[in-house]
Amino acid sequence: MSNTLLSQPDRELRRARAAVAALFLTNGAIFANLVPRLPELKASLGLGEASYGLLVMAWPLGAIVAGLAAAALIRRWGSAPVAVIGTLLTALSVLAAGTAPGVSLVALALLCGGAMDAITDVGQNSHGLAVQRRYGRSILNSFHALWSVGAVLGGLMAAGALALRLPLGLHLGISALLFSVVSLTAWRFCLPVAVTRGVPEATESQRPGDVAAAPRRSRLLLVMAALVLIAVSGIVVEDAGNSWAALYLGQSLEAPGPVAASGFIALVGAQFVGRLLGDGMVNRWGQRAVVQFGALLVVLGMGTALAWPSIAGSILGFAAAGFGVATTVPAAMAQADTMPGLRPGTGLNVVSWLMRLGFLGAPPLVGLVAESWGLRVALLVVPLVGLVLLLCSPVLPRRIHGSPRPVAE
């Protein structure tokens, strides 16, 4: 074997990249097939608003309960098997949630689905980062962009099923079968398990009993905390669009319904564009500079929109925020996955798990502030998040460094 770097990715590596892209798209599509039909599920179970709210919390709760198991599974079986088998079990859980006869069974299915989705998320990101390292340049943002494409595809499939009046069980069965076939096909072209199971364990100087390593461990904790804040910042901005953009434009600025929806569309649309362009920007200017530029966009875009409120300005502010945080979650995951002193997969797993806590914590936090001081004040969390990104950005690398790709002699 030779350690010569390939000037261009070989056929096997290009296929692995396509396989990871397919897994991300599939992951985005599976649960999105159920989301537009949740009101139908609520009606069939005869649930009130409060009961329904508790029911849908089962998905993120499952993710939090089981999410930390992903790293151990990846070390044991490899990232591709974990991602693919997790995808199959997620699809089956969503199907079970749509067909279970009682509330308890539906809740159990959603709990299992959220658990499997969290494990799948870490597995596919871990494999995507392994492919990225062999490429020697950033490609992770493109995978996250395809997750967004998958979510839109799943929503469109659900809308089509509603238009055709397909029974929920039949619709979710078709979805489960389709995306199971896609994920199993992708598995064939993933990197070998030996390449992706992990990296060497910590050296003697990094073992827990070494007194000299204590300052390093302290620095490790600080860096990991900063990476978690970077990832959670992206989630907080994303939730501002999902949960509050339409409400702010419609109620606070009295925008008509279709215009009020434009805040959410502007944020997620700009985020998607940012992820499409993100790898090119990172490869040209470096990960740290891209996140810092994005943070400035968040601060200036939403800060200006909130300081001088208007409908058009607010829509542009949400768009600036979405573009600004497009690369933050992939950046935090990529850096956490290569942290020295941690067992393989641990850094990525911890960031992914704590990021999901952001999904649970952000809406009630903004809601409490909005109830006391108004939604305009509550949305100041978005430019504040931009400042947090600026403060934490020095932990990110200036450049993406890839490992050598061996080629057969």
Side-chain angles (χ1 to χ4, degrees):
M1 298 292 289
S2 167
N3 287 329
T4 304
L5 279 174
L6 298 178
S7 58
Q8 294 293 333
D10 58 22
R11 184 180 182 186
E12 178 185 0
L13 192 53
R14 291 196 301 270
R15 285 182 170 181
R17 180 177 182 175
V20 176
L23 290 174
F24 269 83
L25 184 142
T26 297
N27 182 247
I30 289 174
F31 186 63
N33 266 275
L34 178 61
V35 171
R37 304 199 70 167
L38 284 173
E40 178 183 343
L41 184 63
K42 172 180 175 292
S44 68
L45 295 171
L47 298 178
E49 301 298 333
S51 300
Y52 171 72
L54 291 173
L55 178 66
V56 295
M57 278 188 65
W59 186 277
L61 181 61
I64 290 169
V65 168
L68 285 177
L73 294 173
I74 290 169
R75 287 192 293 270
R76 178 66 180 87
W77 302 106
S79 54
V82 168
V84 173
I85 294 172
T87 296
L88 300 180
L89 294 176
T90 303
L92 289 175
S93 297
V94 170
L95 174 60
T99 56
V103 176
S104 298
L105 292 176
V106 173
L108 179 61
L110 289 174
L111 189 78
C112 292
M116 292 302 102
D117 179 67
I119 291 170
T120 300
D121 183 54
V122 178
Q124 68 187 13
N125 274 286
S126 178
H127 204 80
L129 287 165
V131 174
Q132 174 172 281
R133 285 191 290 272
R134 290 168 70 86
Y135 260 75
R137 55 186 170 85
S138 177
I139 59 172
L140 188 63
N141 290 287
S142 66
F143 296 143
H144 284 255
L146 281 168
W147 187 95
S148 300
V149 173
V152 173
L153 174 62
L156 291 174
M157 288 176 63
L162 286 167
L164 295 172
R165 297 185 180 180
L166 291 182
L168 183 56
L170 176 60
H171 161 215
L172 295 179
I174 293 171
S175 169
L177 178 61
L178 172 63
F179 294 116
S180 294
V181 170
V182 171
S183 62
L184 287 169
T185 303
W187 193 358
R188 294 182 54 205
F189 301 104
C190 288
L191 295 175
V193 170
V195 176
T196 62
R197 184 177 283 148
V199 296
E201 297 287 344
T203 62
E204 289 291 331
S205 65
Q206 295 169 326
R207 289 183 180 175
D210 194 340
V211 176
R216 294 184 181 180
R217 288 196 296 269
S218 299
R219 183 179 185 279
L220 175 65
L221 290 173
L222 289 174
V223 172
M224 284 299 298
L227 292 175
V228 168
L229 285 174
I230 289 172
V232 171
S233 295
I235 295 305
V236 169
V237 173
E238 188 175 327
D239 177 72
N242 294 345
S243 303
W244 305 106
L247 194 63
Y248 174 67
L249 286 164
Q251 292 189 2
S252 300
L253 301 182
E254 300 181 348
V259 176
S262 299
F264 164 72
I265 295 169
L267 189 144
V268 297
Q271 184 183 52
F272 172 68
V273 172
R275 285 176 172 171
L276 283 179
L277 301 176
D279 291 319
M281 294 189 296
V282 168
N283 291 322
R284 182 170 183 178
W285 294 302
Q287 187 71 81
R288 186 188 302 177
V290 171
V291 168
Q292 289 173 340
F293 173 72
L296 289 174
L297 276 181
V298 174
V299 173
L300 296 176
M302 278 303 292
T304 301
L306 294 171
W308 294 280
S310 68
I311 293 173
S314 297
I315 292 171
L316 289 174
F318 281 114
F323 191 91
V325 300
T327 66
T328 55
V329 171
M333 287 182 166
Q335 184 65 6
D337 195 48
T338 56
M339 288 296 298
L342 293 178
R343 299 184 70 189
T346 299
L348 174 62
N349 202 168
V350 169
V351 168
S352 178
W353 186 75
L354 290 174
M355 185 178 68
R356 289 177 180 270
L357 290 179
F359 276 114
L360 284 180
L365 175 63
V366 174
L368 285 172
V369 176
E371 190 168 328
S372 300
W373 292 290
L375 190 50
R376 181 184 170 194
V377 173
L379 285 176
L380 285 172
V381 70
V382 176
L384 287 176
V385 156
L387 294 176
V388 170
L389 284 173
L390 281 174
L391 290 173
C392 295
S393 63
V395 303
L396 296 172
R398 295 183 184 276
R399 296 288 177 186
I400 293 291
H401 297 285
S403 59
R405 295 190 295 272
V407 294
E409 292 182 338

